[in-house]
Amino acid sequence: MADQFLHTEIDFLKGVGPKRAELLKKELGIYTFGDLLNYYPFRYIDKSKVYPIASINSDAAHIQLRGRISNIQTLGHARSKRLVAMLTDSSGEIELVWFKGIKWIAPTLKPNVEYIVFGKPTRFNNRYNISHPEIEPVENSLVANQIDLQGVYFTSEKLSSKGLNAKGIFKIQKNLVSQLHNHIPETLPAYLLERLKLIPREVAVINAHTPQDEQMLQKALFRLKFEELFFLQLSLLRQKLIQTKKLKGLVFDQVGNRFNEFYENYLPFELTNAQKRVIKEIRKDVGSGHHMNRLLQGDVGSGKTVVALLTMLLAIDNGFQTCMMAPTEILATQHYEGLKELLADMGVSIRLLTGSTKTAERNEIHEGLENGSLDIIVGTHALIEDKVQFRNLGYVVVDEQHRFGVAQRSKLWAKGTQGVPHVLVMTATPIPRTLAMTLYGDLDISVIDELPPGRKPITTSHRYDSARLKVFGFIEQEIKKGRQVYIVYPLIQESEKMDYKDLMDGYESIVRRFPIPDYQVSIVHGQMKADAKDYEMQRFVKGETQIMVATTVIEVGVNVPNASLMVIESAERFGLSQLHQLRGRVGRGAEQSYCILMTGNKLSEDGKLRMETMVRTNDGFEIAEVDLKLRGPGDLQGTQQSGLMNLNIADLTRDQQLLQVARSEAVEVLKKDPDLQHPDNQRLVMGLQALRKTKKNWSRIS
Ligand code: ADP
Ligand code: MG
């Protein structure tokens, strides 16, 4: 039976045996034939091309050569002991070297036999050599067998030492694949195979490991990647369906006085089309009887706050309380101040609750929340505490969601007394949409993709530390024009002491260059007490100080429209999304704004690309794409929980388009058959079950 074969223990595969089996299990989590078949190459080398030795002119890439060997000898002693041989073809010669495994390799090298050699040339003493090449007689080689493409597998040192290097794994795969004969069941319904022109699963597996040719390899990879992404999407969408069925949504069906009054009399500007669209999306959701769990993505400065406010008023109009949660005290305070001002003449009651709220005030707030006299509470994590109880919480806004975990979200949910409150999560860290859909599979997504009119794009430049005096000159100019300036220093936990010193040194040199009484300089960092921080922050907000020296505490949300210049020190130490967030602190007023990225003279390739990207574009989504390419999805928040890190063959950075296809196919399938009851879809039911099992297996290894 098909099943039995795939579940056979790996020990029983020819060429494996108990010792190697033990290692395969321990190092790679490969327990069965099926597991091994699921272990795909990470790249393929084209062995159809053989190069003349004389054509080697760089130590760039791996290369395949063909020739006879001579002068086989062992040189040196003890640690410098090495085996060398000369490989010669009609164009020239090159030295081959082995430092390890000499005792195994030496006897296999025969003079005057023709070999195929594969390896990476390196230049040493003005000559090229190849150390630890793969080598085998032409007659055994893939070239002779007319196989062009060979998969390269990740392996470990321990496995390599037992003969399971990249090629060793290829050999056992080949062995296993050659036994396949209707052993791998199809997992996709015939109608999908047909529509997307997918090859059968077994054929795909065979060709992924031992490609017949380039074309079949591409078909195999397409089929397998599609399948993987498709099942992931299908399972996410199914979960969401089940969840929305389970949760009854509170219904906000009135657009009442508060909303209208604010919209007509107090809204200080015309909404952008994107803002209008998103408000509509939210209104439709909260009026539908479904529970809303929505992610609002919008670049810094795109105007998410007013969307939150209007929809909060909608909740209040329907008799509910609302809360807005922010990740830092500064940001919560700023939201509170901003909202209070906008609502000043509206008779909506609003309070602020943070870690530093005094007991007496805190008690008052608790009471107001419990008796329902408070409409809006703005705050930090303090809002999650068990002591905070509401009379009828109906709507929760969470700003900058990447700082909050799923667990915290659900704690807020639990505070609803008449049902689960609707949730709007706002983030300014845009991630590519397809990825967002997968990461936050349980959320719906709205995007504000338009900035309010009249914004001038921020001009960004990159300067080396050596240009510091000029940069100071520029700071002076901006201040003379009446503008304010941020100077930001990195503060990374691992090197906190050094960073703190850098910050203080920087602060001192700024104060020396911009002395009192002509200039006032604020400083804000994480080691300051909350009230001291707040005091300094407020001085800057009110325009009493012209320069704000700070660590990344200002990263999130702070709004000072008169600030027109952001200088980021040691910019190479920040990630792209963080740089983008920081830059978003300027460009909020009508004036031309600037961002200067200061770095040392030595930059890594990555560092250079990050600076270039920042200089080139202000578009958060474009920056997010580059970030994703540089860091891979593994570093993105949320990827761990989502199952994306366990992808076997698909790769989110490269296969985004395919992800999109997989997503829409999954949507389509569920639209027609939400419970997957149609006989055609029974394969899908089984596939989802299998997916649940693999998830468990993964937790077993990591
Ligand atoms: P973010 O999306 O980064 O949270 P904010 O909500 O803080 O952005 O808005 C940034 C600034 O833009 C604020 O000063 C806000 O008053 C202003 N703003 C928001 N929407 C509009 C609009 N439609 N027209 C003009 N200004 C707007
Ligand atoms: Mg904001």
Side-chain angles (χ1 to χ4, degrees), residues 456-507:
K456 294 201 178 75
I458 301 163
T459 303
T460 301
S461 49
H462 169 209
R463 296 280 178 272
Y464 291 106
D465 288 337
S466 46
R468 185 169 302 279
L469 287 182
K470 278 198 183 146
V471 172
F472 280 170
F474 189 68
I475 293 176
E476 189 179 344
Q477 266 181 37
E478 283 298 292
I479 295 176
K480 279 213 178 106
K481 285 196 253 167
R483 310 282 132 69
Q484 288 165 284
V485 179
Y486 291 106
I487 303 178
V488 179
Y489 284 80
L491 203 149
I492 318 279
Q493 243 145 24
E494 301 92 68
S495 51
E496 203 171 324
K497 267 204 182 127
M498 278 300 293
D499 287 348
Y500 186 68
K501 187 175 174 303
D502 287 350
L503 171 77
M504 290 327 257
D505 289 352
Y507 174 66

Coordinates of all heavy atoms in Angstrom, one line a residue, residues 456-507:
K456 N 5.2 67.0 1.1 CA 6.4 66.9 0.2 C 7.2 65.7 0.6 O 7.4 65.4 1.8 CB 7.3 68.2 0.4 CG 6.6 69.5 0.0 CD 7.7 70.5 -0.2 CE 7.0 71.8 -0.7 NZ 6.4 72.6 0.4
P457 N 7.6 64.9 -0.4 CA 8.4 63.7 -0.1 C 9.7 64.1 0.7 O 10.3 65.2 0.4 CB 8.8 63.1 -1.4 CG 7.9 63.9 -2.4 CD 7.4 65.1 -1.8
I458 N 10.0 63.3 1.7 CA 11.2 63.6 2.4 C 12.5 63.4 1.6 O 12.5 62.4 0.9 CB 11.3 62.7 3.7 CG1 10.0 62.9 4.5 CG2 12.5 62.9 4.5 CD1 9.8 61.8 5.5
T459 N 13.4 64.3 1.6 CA 14.7 64.1 0.9 C 15.6 63.4 1.8 O 15.9 63.9 2.9 CB 15.3 65.5 0.5 OG1 14.3 66.1 -0.3 CG2 16.5 65.3 -0.3
T460 N 16.1 62.3 1.4 CA 17.0 61.5 2.2 C 18.4 61.4 1.6 O 18.6 61.3 0.4 CB 16.5 60.0 2.4 OG1 15.2 60.1 2.9 CG2 17.4 59.2 3.3
S461 N 19.4 61.6 2.5 CA 20.8 61.4 2.0 C 21.6 60.6 2.9 O 21.3 60.5 4.1 CB 21.4 62.8 1.7 OG 21.3 63.6 2.8
H462 N 22.7 60.1 2.4 CA 23.6 59.2 3.2 C 24.9 60.0 3.3 O 25.5 60.4 2.3 CB 23.7 57.9 2.5 CG 24.8 57.0 3.1 ND1 25.5 56.1 2.3 CD2 25.3 57.0 4.3 CE1 26.4 55.5 3.1 NE2 26.3 56.0 4.3
R463 N 25.4 60.2 4.5 CA 26.7 60.9 4.8 C 27.6 60.0 5.7 O 27.1 59.4 6.6 CB 26.4 62.2 5.5 CG 25.6 63.2 4.6 CD 26.5 63.9 3.6 NE 25.8 64.8 2.8 CZ 25.1 64.5 1.6 NH1 25.2 63.2 1.2 NH2 24.4 65.3 0.9
Y464 N 28.9 60.1 5.4 CA 29.8 59.4 6.2 C 30.1 60.3 7.4 O 30.0 61.5 7.4 CB 31.1 59.0 5.4 CG 30.8 58.0 4.4 CD1 30.7 58.3 3.1 CD2 30.5 56.6 4.8 CE1 30.4 57.3 2.1 CE2 30.2 55.7 3.9 CZ 30.2 56.0 2.5 OH 29.9 55.0 1.6
D465 N 30.6 59.6 8.5 CA 30.9 60.3 9.7 C 31.9 61.5 9.5 O 31.8 62.5 10.1 CB 31.6 59.4 10.7 CG 30.5 58.4 11.3 OD1 29.3 58.8 11.3 OD2 30.9 57.4 11.8
S466 N 32.7 61.3 8.4 CA 33.7 62.4 8.2 C 33.1 63.7 7.7 O 33.7 64.7 7.7 CB 34.7 61.9 7.1 OG 34.0 61.3 6.0
A467 N 31.8 63.6 7.3 CA 31.1 64.8 6.9 C 30.3 65.5 8.0 O 29.5 66.3 7.7 CB 30.2 64.5 5.7
R468 N 30.7 65.1 9.2 CA 29.8 65.6 10.4 C 29.7 67.1 10.5 O 28.7 67.6 10.7 CB 30.4 65.0 11.6 CG 29.6 65.3 12.9 CD 30.0 64.5 14.1 NE 29.9 63.0 13.8 CZ 28.8 62.3 13.8 NH1 27.7 62.9 14.2 NH2 28.8 61.1 13.5
L469 N 30.8 67.8 10.2 CA 30.8 69.3 10.4 C 29.8 69.9 9.4 O 29.0 70.8 9.7 CB 32.2 69.8 10.1 CG 33.2 69.6 11.3 CD1 34.5 70.2 11.0 CD2 32.6 70.0 12.6
K470 N 29.8 69.4 8.2 CA 28.8 69.9 7.2 C 27.4 69.6 7.7 O 26.5 70.4 7.5 CB 29.0 69.2 5.9 CG 30.1 69.8 5.1 CD 30.0 69.4 3.6 CE 31.1 69.9 2.8 NZ 31.5 69.0 1.7
V471 N 27.2 68.4 8.2 CA 25.9 68.1 8.7 C 25.4 69.0 9.8 O 24.3 69.5 9.9 CB 25.8 66.6 9.2 CG1 24.5 66.3 9.9 CG2 26.0 65.6 8.0
F472 N 26.4 69.3 10.7 CA 26.1 70.3 11.8 C 25.7 71.6 11.2 O 24.8 72.3 11.6 CB 27.3 70.5 12.7 CG 27.5 69.4 13.7 CD1 28.6 69.3 14.5 CD2 26.4 68.5 14.0 CE1 28.7 68.3 15.5 CE2 26.6 67.5 14.9 CZ 27.7 67.4 15.7
G473 N 26.4 72.0 10.1 CA 26.0 73.3 9.4 C 24.6 73.2 8.9 O 23.9 74.2 9.0
F474 N 24.2 72.1 8.4 CA 22.9 72.0 7.8 C 21.8 72.0 9.0 O 20.8 72.7 8.8 CB 22.7 70.6 7.1 CG 21.5 70.5 6.3 CD1 21.2 71.3 5.2 CD2 20.5 69.6 6.7 CE1 20.0 71.2 4.5 CE2 19.3 69.5 6.0 CZ 19.1 70.3 4.9
I475 N 22.2 71.4 10.1 CA 21.2 71.5 11.3 C 21.0 72.9 11.6 O 19.9 73.4 11.9 CB 21.9 70.7 12.5 CG1 21.9 69.2 12.1 CG2 21.1 71.0 13.7 CD1 22.6 68.4 13.2
E476 N 22.1 73.7 11.7 CA 22.0 75.1 12.0 C 21.1 75.8 11.1 O 20.3 76.6 11.5 CB 23.5 75.7 12.0 CG 23.5 77.1 12.6 CD 24.9 77.6 12.6 OE1 25.9 76.9 12.4 OE2 25.1 78.9 12.7
Q477 N 21.3 75.6 9.8 CA 20.4 76.3 8.8 C 19.0 76.0 9.1 O 18.1 76.9 9.0 CB 20.7 75.7 7.4 CG 21.7 76.5 6.6 CD 21.9 75.8 5.3 OE1 20.9 75.3 4.7 NE2 23.1 75.7 4.8
E478 N 18.6 74.8 9.3 CA 17.2 74.4 9.5 C 16.7 75.1 10.7 O 15.6 75.6 10.7 CB 17.1 72.9 9.6 CG 17.1 72.1 8.3 CD 16.0 72.5 7.3 OE1 14.8 72.2 7.6 OE2 16.3 73.2 6.3
I479 N 17.5 75.1 11.8 CA 17.0 75.7 13.0 C 16.8 77.2 12.8 O 15.9 77.8 13.3 CB 18.0 75.5 14.2 CG1 18.0 74.0 14.5 CG2 17.6 76.3 15.4 CD1 19.0 73.6 15.6
K480 N 17.7 77.8 12.0 CA 17.6 79.3 11.7 C 16.2 79.5 11.0 O 15.7 80.6 11.2 CB 18.7 79.7 10.8 CG 20.0 80.0 11.6 CD 20.8 81.2 10.9 CE 22.0 81.5 11.8 NZ 23.2 81.0 11.1
K481 N 15.8 78.6 10.2 CA 14.5 78.7 9.6 C 13.3 78.5 10.5 O 12.2 78.5 10.1 CB 14.4 77.7 8.4 CG 15.2 78.1 7.2 CD 14.8 77.3 6.0 CE 15.8 76.2 5.6 NZ 15.4 75.3 4.6
G482 N 13.6 78.2 11.8 CA 12.6 78.0 12.7 C 12.1 76.5 12.9 O 11.1 76.2 13.5
R483 N 12.9 75.6 12.3 CA 12.5 74.2 12.3 C 13.1 73.5 13.5 O 14.0 74.0 14.1 CB 12.9 73.5 11.0 CG 12.6 74.1 9.8 CD 11.1 73.9 9.4 NE 10.5 75.2 9.0 CZ 10.8 75.8 7.9 NH1 11.7 75.4 7.1 NH2 10.2 77.0 7.7
Q484 N 12.7 72.3 13.7 CA 13.2 71.5 14.8 C 13.9 70.2 14.2 O 13.5 69.8 13.1 CB 12.1 71.1 15.8 CG 11.7 72.3 16.6 CD 10.4 72.0 17.3 OE1 9.3 72.0 16.7 NE2 10.5 71.6 18.6
V485 N 14.8 69.6 15.0 CA 15.6 68.6 14.5 C 15.6 67.4 15.5 O 15.8 67.6 16.7 CB 17.1 69.1 14.3 CG1 18.0 68.0 13.9 CG2 17.1 70.3 13.4
Y486 N 15.5 66.2 14.9 CA 15.7 65.0 15.7 C 17.1 64.4 15.4 O 17.5 64.4 14.3 CB 14.8 63.8 15.3 CG 13.3 64.0 15.6 CD1 12.4 64.3 14.6 CD2 12.9 63.8 16.9 CE1 11.1 64.4 14.9 CE2 11.5 63.9 17.2 CZ 10.6 64.2 16.1 OH 9.3 64.3 16.4
I487 N 17.8 64.0 16.5 CA 19.1 63.2 16.2 C 18.9 61.9 17.0 O 18.8 61.9 18.2 CB 20.3 64.0 16.7 CG1 20.3 65.4 16.0 CG2 21.6 63.2 16.5 CD1 21.5 66.3 16.5
V488 N 19.0 60.8 16.3 CA 18.6 59.5 16.9 C 19.9 58.6 16.9 O 20.6 58.5 16.0 CB 17.5 58.8 16.1 CG1 17.2 57.5 16.7 CG2 16.3 59.7 16.0
Y489 N 20.0 58.0 18.1 CA 21.1 57.0 18.3 C 20.5 55.6 18.5 O 19.5 55.5 19.0 CB 21.9 57.4 19.5 CG 22.8 58.6 19.3 CD1 22.3 59.9 19.3 CD2 24.2 58.4 19.0 CE1 23.2 61.0 19.1 CE2 25.0 59.4 18.8 CZ 24.5 60.7 18.8 OH 25.3 61.8 18.6
P490 N 21.3 54.7 18.0 CA 20.8 53.3 18.2 C 20.9 52.9 19.6 O 21.9 53.3 20.3 CB 21.7 52.4 17.3 CG 22.9 53.3 17.1 CD 22.6 54.7 17.3
L491 N 20.1 52.1 20.1 CA 20.2 51.5 21.4 C 19.8 50.0 21.3 O 18.6 49.7 21.2 CB 19.4 52.2 22.5 CG 20.0 52.0 23.9 CD1 19.7 53.2 24.7 CD2 19.4 50.7 24.5
I492 N 20.8 49.2 21.3 CA 20.6 47.8 21.1 C 20.9 47.1 22.4 O 21.9 47.4 23.0 CB 21.5 47.2 20.0 CG1 21.6 48.1 18.8 CG2 21.1 45.8 19.6 CD1 20.6 48.1 17.8
Q493 N 20.0 46.2 22.8 CA 20.1 45.7 24.1 C 21.5 45.0 24.4 O 22.1 45.3 25.4 CB 19.1 44.6 24.4 CG 18.1 45.0 25.5 CD 16.7 44.5 25.2 OE1 16.5 43.6 24.5 NE2 15.8 45.2 25.8
E494 N 22.0 44.3 23.4 CA 23.3 43.6 23.7 C 24.5 44.5 24.0 O 25.4 44.2 24.6 CB 23.7 42.7 22.5 CG 22.6 41.6 22.1 CD 21.7 42.2 21.1 OE1 22.2 42.4 19.9 OE2 20.5 42.4 21.4
S495 N 24.4 45.7 23.4 CA 25.5 46.6 23.6 C 25.1 47.9 24.3 O 25.5 49.0 24.0 CB 26.2 46.9 22.3 OG 25.2 47.4 21.3
E496 N 24.2 47.7 25.2 CA 23.5 48.8 25.8 C 24.5 49.9 26.4 O 24.3 51.1 26.2 CB 22.5 48.4 26.9 CG 21.5 49.4 27.1 CD 20.4 48.8 28.0 OE1 20.0 47.6 27.9 OE2 19.8 49.6 28.8
K497 N 25.5 49.4 27.1 CA 26.5 50.3 27.8 C 27.2 51.2 26.8 O 27.2 52.4 26.9 CB 27.5 49.5 28.6 CG 27.1 49.3 30.0 CD 28.3 49.1 30.9 CE 27.9 48.8 32.3 NZ 28.4 47.6 32.9
M498 N 27.7 50.5 25.7 CA 28.4 51.3 24.7 C 27.5 52.3 24.0 O 27.8 53.4 23.8 CB 29.0 50.3 23.6 CG 30.3 49.7 24.0 SD 31.5 50.9 24.2 CE 31.7 51.6 22.6
D499 N 26.3 51.8 23.7 CA 25.3 52.7 23.0 C 25.0 53.9 23.9 O 24.9 55.0 23.4 CB 24.0 51.9 22.7 CG 24.2 50.9 21.6 OD1 25.3 51.0 20.9 OD2 23.3 50.1 21.4
Y500 N 24.8 53.6 25.2 CA 24.5 54.7 26.1 C 25.6 55.7 26.1 O 25.4 56.9 26.1 CB 24.3 54.1 27.5 CG 23.7 55.1 28.4 CD1 22.5 55.7 28.3 CD2 24.5 55.6 29.5 CE1 22.0 56.6 29.2 CE2 24.1 56.5 30.4 CZ 22.8 57.0 30.2 OH 22.4 58.0 31.1
K501 N 26.8 55.2 26.1 CA 28.0 56.1 26.1 C 28.0 57.0 24.8 O 28.2 58.2 24.8 CB 29.3 55.3 26.2 CG 30.5 56.2 26.3 CD 31.8 55.4 26.6 CE 33.0 56.2 26.6 NZ 33.2 57.0 25.3
D502 N 27.8 56.3 23.6 CA 27.7 57.0 22.4 C 26.7 58.1 22.4 O 26.9 59.2 21.9 CB 27.3 56.0 21.2 CG 28.4 55.1 20.9 OD1 29.5 55.3 21.4 OD2 28.2 54.1 20.1
L503 N 25.5 57.8 23.0 CA 24.4 58.7 23.0 C 24.9 60.0 23.8 O 24.7 61.1 23.4 CB 23.2 58.1 23.7 CG 22.0 59.0 24.0 CD1 21.3 59.4 22.8 CD2 21.1 58.4 25.1
M504 N 25.5 59.7 25.0 CA 25.9 60.8 25.9 C 27.0 61.6 25.2 O 27.0 62.9 25.3 CB 26.3 60.3 27.3 CG 25.1 59.8 28.1 SD 23.6 60.6 27.8 CE 23.4 61.7 29.2
D505 N 28.0 60.9 24.6 CA 29.0 61.7 23.9 C 28.4 62.5 22.8 O 28.8 63.7 22.7 CB 30.0 60.7 23.3 CG 30.9 60.0 24.3 OD1 30.8 60.4 25.5 OD2 31.6 59.0 24.0
G506 N 27.5 61.9 22.1 CA 26.9 62.7 21.0 C 26.1 63.9 21.5 O 26.2 65.0 21.0
Y507 N 25.4 63.7 22.6 CA 24.7 64.8 23.2 C 25.6 65.9 23.6 O 25.3 67.1 23.3 CB 23.9 64.2 24.5 CG 23.2 65.3 25.3 CD1 22.1 65.9 24.7 CD2 23.6 65.6 26.6 CE1 21.4 66.9 25.5 CE2 23.0 66.5 27.3 CZ 21.9 67.2 26.8 OH 21.2 68.1 27.5

